[in-house]
Amino acid sequence: MVETGTTEIFITFLLAITGYVGLTIMVVLTLREQHPIALWRAIALIILAHVLMVWIYRYDWQFDLAVRNGYAGFVIFHTALALILISTFVNKNLSQKLIHLSFVVATIGATGASLRYDEVSMYRFIVIPCGLIGGIGLIKFYILDRKKRKANLFS
């Protein structure tokens, strides 16, 4: 088993919260029709580094450790990662939709983890506001603004 020191734990969770804040920023930017691909790829690398560090220092590359708290968290964690990574290689429109979807998935996982586990409970003060900012933006974009655009078509 890999010996986990405080530095590794600190860096692992620093990358997690930095990646999540970056994901929130990208959601806001894409909702404003901006898509800085270089920034997004840098954020995706931060998120990938976080996941790799989790596998190295928390799971010791062992699947049974990765699912010790249940399969749901495992699936959410890796689905968000897959969506994020795929979004860095596809066209702009699909990338933006994948960024939005990955944000929803990551927010479900991050909120659940920060409310359930003591070791990440201090991050709820960042996760919850970011989730609200991105979530409200997505609701406005996909539901409220869509209704306005549809109404304008018929007027």
Side-chain angles (χ1 to χ4, degrees), residues 30 33 38 42 46 48 94 99 101 123 125 152-153:
T30 58
E33 299 187 24
I46 290 168
L48 178 61
L94 181 55
I99 290 168
L101 185 56
Y123 294 121
F125 300 107
N152 288 338
L153 289 175

Side-chain angles (χ1 to χ4, degrees), residues 94-111:
L94 181 55
S95 177
Q96 290 179 352
K97 287 178 175 83
L98 291 173
I99 290 168
H100 297 168
L101 185 56
S102 69
F103 175 80
V104 171
V105 173
T107 298
I108 290 167
T111 303

Side-chain angles (χ1 to χ4, degrees), residues 55-124:
W55 270 99
I56 293 166
Y57 295 109
R58 307 238 340 134
Y59 302 159
D60 194 29
W61 296 105
Q62 296 178 36
F63 182 74
D64 59 326
L65 289 177
V67 296
R68 70 180 174 261
N69 294 324
Y71 288 97
F74 178 85
V75 170
I76 290 169
F77 187 64
H78 292 88
T79 298
L81 176 65
L83 293 169
I84 288 164
L85 294 178
I86 293 167
S87 74
T88 64
F89 294 103
V90 297
N91 69 53
K92 179 182 170 183
N93 289 335
L94 181 55
S95 177
Q96 290 179 352
K97 287 178 175 83
L98 291 173
I99 290 168
H100 297 168
L101 185 56
S102 69
F103 175 80
V104 171
V105 173
T107 298
I108 290 167
T111 303
S114 70
L115 294 175
R116 182 174 182 197
Y117 301 113
D118 289 338
E119 64 264 21
V120 292
S121 64
M122 75 287 276
Y123 294 121
R124 70 179 68 149

